[in-house]
Amino acid sequence: MIDDLVVNAALCMLMTAAAIWTVVTVRLLRAAIGLALTSALLTIVMYRFGSPLAAAFELSVCAGLISVIFVSAITLTSRLSSDRLNQRESEVLRRFWFLPLLVIIAGVILYKTSIPIEIIAFEGKTAAQDDVRSIIWNTRHLDLIGQIAILLAGAIGVVLLFKERKHG
Amino acid sequence: MADSVYVFWLFGIFVALLAIVGFYCILITSNLIRTLIGMEIVTKAVTFLIILVGRSTGNTGLAQSFAITLIVVEVVVIVVASGVVISVFRRNGSIDVNLFRNLKG
Amino acid sequence: MPTLLIILPLALLLILNLPLLRAARRVSFWLCAVLALAQVVATATHMGGLIPDLGAAFDPYIVLQLRMTGLSEVVLLAIGIVVLASLFTARAMIADHDERFKFGNLVILAMMGLNGTALLADLISLYVFIEITAVSSFILIAFDRDSDGLEGSFKYIILSAVATAALLASIALFMMVSPDTSFAAVRAALAVSQHSFYVNLAAGLLLCGLFVKGGLVPFHWWLPDAYSSAPAPASVLLAGIITKVSGIYALIVVSTSILTVGGAAGEVIMVLGIVSAIAGALLALGQRDMKRMLAYSSVSQVGYIMLGLGSGTALGVAGAVFHFFNHAIFKSLLFVNAAAVEGSLGTRDMDRMGGIASKMPVTGVTSIIGFFSAAGIPPLAGFWSKVMIIIALWQAGHQTASVVAVLVGVLTLAYFLSMQRRVFFGRLREGLGEIREARMSILVPAVSLALITVAAGLFFKPVFSKIIMPVGEMLVK
Amino acid sequence: MSELNLVLPIAVPIIAGILVLPFRAARGTVHAIITFAVAAFTLALSLALFGSEAALSVPWAPFGLDFSLRLYSFSAFILVAAAGFGTLISLYAAAFMRGKEKQNQFYGYFLLTMGLVNGAVLSDNLLLMLFFWEGLLVPLYGMIAIGSEKSYRTATKALIIVGASDLCMMLGIAMVYSITGTLTISKVSVATGSALGSAAFILMAIGAFSKAGSIPFHSWIPDAARAAALPFMAILPASLEKLLGIYFLSRICLDLFALTPDSWLSVLLMALGCVTIIIAVLMALIQKEYKRLLSYHAISQVGYMVLGIGTAVPIGIMGGIFHMINHAIYKSCLFLTGGAVEHRAGTTQLEKLGGLRAAMPVTCICFLVAAASISGVPPFNGFFSKEMVYAGALERGPVFYIFAVIGSFFTAASFLKLGHAVYFDRKGDGMERVREASPAMLIPMVALALLCVVFGVWNAWPLDTLIAPSIAASGVTPGETHGGASVFLVVMTCVALGGAILNHLSGYHITRRGFTAVDHIHETPGLSWAYERAENRYNDIYDLGKRALVFCARLLMKVDRAVDWVFERLAVAAAYATTARLRALQTGNYSLYIVLCLAGAAAVVAYLVQ
């Protein structure tokens, strides 16, 4: 049990480190890769926390699809992106050394503060509630319909925003 | 139950840290794409929180379905947002946040 | 019928977008309009008790956790009306057929999201449907892909992401105490554990997320940018209903069916209401851009709604709901008029207008009606809802808030007068001799909305006792 | 008499107004005819209703807001008066407005005003009354705003002042409601003893004052009179709204609150009345423009009404109400003469006018009658009502009486100046071709002047049939009043009037111009003979006194403008300064927005978690 906790904590630390790297690295492409790495580490933690299906989604969508989107957006825009912006960005990011320190301090402070957690009470566990597929298909139709709609909105958005405009 | 309390409290710290990193990124950068990356990190923090709550309460079914919904919705938001960024680039030739201050007052 | 309200828009969209049905796109505008009109008619007849339930027969086949209350009826009616107004405005303002088709699609998507928000009773679904509406409106704001539109859209995306993060975190925290995220379950769980740190944190985050969505001061920053830079028909929809449903309606529902209004949450809502009412009115006073002024006026009016909600009494909540409806009507009316003016003059700068009421009489008269209703001049509907809110505040013992609400009325009058004077009254400005009245498809919604405002004011007695007050009593049990 | 007839005087003018409003007209004949017909119909109807009592109550909206109207002696009397003025003015307007711009708006607003005034007079529910009362803002604003290019400022100022005081009234009504639990006027009766009761009284009185145009809510009236090109703008505030304001003040004092002579509120009202009389009349004295001078008198005369009602003794109250109706008569008449002069001579600057007596004899005679009336010259109506107010004031304390008499002296002095400057002095430049006004303008003028005489000579008739029943309905027993002015009062009045005449003559003797005749001699009457005897010897003292008085008048003018500045500039400037601060936060930088949002969220969460 303790081992499990230690491994999880170590993974979370790695994940935080990856996130920090994502933020402080100067090259945008590397930032996108850092994001994918964060996502992948999160996937492992999720899997170990007993959420395999969500973990699979996280891996395929966040680590996969979103990275692809970012990389394509970066290549689409960096082709002509001015040097001035890059230079200023790196100047700004030079100030980012401060971030890891900030995160460590915040972590220590949070660790030392003890906020009483009074209630975590979910004991009426039943078979139906345990199975994620049955929950999705049996009780959350509305969310499914919503997801269809939002994907449709995304499709319209892609058609509208990614395409070059006909006139002007 | 004591175990769950400890788990929630320990990993809750990482949720907070991820959120701090994400917001820090949004606030300090001058690049629109990096802003979106910051947004993604904040979303990661929230996803982690949901899974953590599921783990602590044992209600993993609901937590997972919630997380999946969240992932689907977020990807669409990111797609639309990067579509806006690309349009901005096509229009202005730059994705500098500082060009983004026409609307004020 | 609740199920149909969600399924039909989605089905229509899917059918219209089938590659085989390119021919259907020509009539897509009318199909969308008919759908919205059907919603208006069905809701109105249902409210009037004329028909039992139009789609009750279909409901057993698709099980969605929806609930149709008196409040949802009011909101659904407002949604239908504003969507119609927006569609007609789009017909006049967007020339290209293909663009108009896409615009119609987005409007219907937004309508579906709004309908869902108005009908659901579950926090996760609330998040999903708010996001549907939000994503549609991101695209709508950036529809023209002009510089301002993109900027407004991006700011909305970013601040909306902050709001979403708060919303999600709060739902997750609520899941710690509740096995389910339906409103009833969360409410029951909260009754047991009221004083926990995390529960209060969750409540605070939930409120803040919705404050951002609804554009209350100091969470309103995106709102003027988004409203003023969106294309005209999109700002009708945004100002009239989108932010109101996904922010304000959600706040009303959440604070009455999850949190118990009148406690600390009620105090927070009331303080923000006062701040928004004052700051919004003051900010509106200093604007030159017509749409931006109307946007800030929205912030101020939303403050009134929050005041009514924060009072925690049945009358106050009823007043809030009625003001919600009235605001949807008169604010879309004003935005439709702004669209007409912008369409004719090609500018939104009020300093470059003047005396155009002589050239655009219908627009001028309807905008006076909208302005009177917004400023709370009897007997228009806006007067009644403000009176209800003020009386409720007084009765609930918040005399100061009530006095502030009255005084903000003077500010409201001041900025609307300044707008009317700069735009419509006076002598016609030089160089504007050529302008003409807007097209029919803008005048139709303008006149209809004006008539609704007048009618809701004149027939206040039945509206109040049959519809509004029962809603208030239902919400504050 | 069916109860539904009560709705007609309200509905017919309003509907006619709304119908007239959208249609432009080049000459406006049709508009004028419709307006006159509606006004005449209202007059006939109100005459038919006069003497009967009726009540109509239809539940309309919740919170005790019923559509309830009540006709009884007082409201019937005001109804007749309002309709009468409306008819006369509409006739006059037909001549004056011919061929002017924006006739449709003028007649539309005019009809709306008539309907709304009738509604406010008849309503028996406080909120319903407020409804009509606030509604009057719309035509008021519109009427001022259509005047000229720059009238918007004035219109907005009027709207803000009147609107703000209406809000006070709304608060007062809310207090009354919370004290008594009812909004029906005939059922409300509040004791003024309690703090809340006193506050409610003051708040509601503020509403009445601003409608009536009493100090310190007056500053829009003179501006409106100048800014609006239409003399009617001055007529509506001068007659209809004043009628309404004083009507409501007396309702407050008599019905709602039962003001008693021993309460401090009564003293407050009287003090306010005296202050209004003196300040406004001193400012009227130094005006150099016809309509503006009349406007300040309109304010000053309100002081007499407030003083009379504030005495809370029967004779004073009757005097106040009688003065109200008299004032409406002679002030309308005076404004009509001003309008006629403007119409024919093309200016209302006193400096340019002069010697119009021969060219406009009828106008001149009407002016003389009305001016004599306002100054309180014996056979005319103003004399009798003022005597009653004096009697009431004397009963309460000599101080108030002395103020009132001083006011009377200055009134007479300023009207001597006005009349002399306009009608009698040597002819001004370009006044040769001035002709008498048209019959449509003369008829109302003559009718009003005749009324001045009728109400003066046969004053027992209006007092017995109109006013005594009115206040009797409110539970005040009218005593033996009419015509019974005591010898002392009459003598004092004559002394004041005589002093004013002497004063004027001596001033004219020096400057040889009526226009400047009172600019320099504002001495107490007792000293003017001394001046004549020894001009040089007393010169220095005289100069001193003259300077002091002119200084006082100028100072008061400054104070007046300062009050105006507070309303017009300071409030606006403060609002705009705050606006600028707030707008500075909206920098366009969304990082800042996020920080502010997070800060707000932190505050909210901290408050909830605490």
Side-chain angles (χ1 to χ4, degrees), chain A residues 25-26 53 88-89 96 162, chain B residues 28-30 34 90 96 98:
Chain A
T25 186
V26 178
L53 200 64
R88 196 164 64 217
E89 185 72 7
F96 271 44
F162 278 73
Chain B
I28 208 152
T29 185
S30 58
R34 211 180 275 274
R90 288 217 178 102
D96 191 343
N98 296 307

Side-chain angles (χ1 to χ4, degrees), chain C residues 154-155 158-159 197 200-201 203-205 207-208 219-221 224 264-265 267-268 279 282-283 285-287 292 296 315 378-379 384 388 391 394 403 406 410 413 417 421 425-427 458 460-461 464, chain D residues 24 59-63 65 127 131 134 138 141 149 152 156 159-160 164 167 170-171 174-175 177-178 575-576 578-579 582-583 585-586 588-590 593-594 596-598 600-601 604-605 607-609:
Chain C
F154 197 79
K155 281 177 183 164
I158 294 294
L159 284 175
F197 171 83
N200 285 323
L201 179 66
L205 287 175
L207 288 180
C208 289
F219 303 94
H220 68 284
W221 313 101
E267 286 163 26
V268 167
L282 283 174
L283 280 163
L285 206 55
Q287 300 302 323
R292 218 171 159 78
Y296 279 120
L315 181 65
W384 296 114
M388 283 167 75
I391 291 177
W394 189 276
V403 173
V406 172
V410 181
L413 208 60
L417 265 180
R421 181 174 60 82
F425 293 161
R427 182 178 290 171
L458 288 182
F460 175 62
K461 174 84 177 169
F464 176 84
Chain D
R24 274 149 217 288
W60 185 23
F63 345 111
L65 173 46
L127 268 185
F131 182 101
E134 293 251 16
V138 177
Y141 179 84
E149 283 292 294
Y152 285 113
T156 311
L159 196 69
I160 289 172
L167 290 177
M170 198 190 273
L171 277 182
M175 287 180 178
Y177 184 57
S178 70
Y576 275 103
T578 328
T579 301
L582 284 172
R583 289 185 65 188
L585 274 178
Q586 194 97 19
N589 179 355
Y590 62 73
Y593 299 168
I594 294 178
L596 289 170
C597 279
L598 292 179
V604 169
V605 168
Y607 183 79
L608 286 180
V609 165

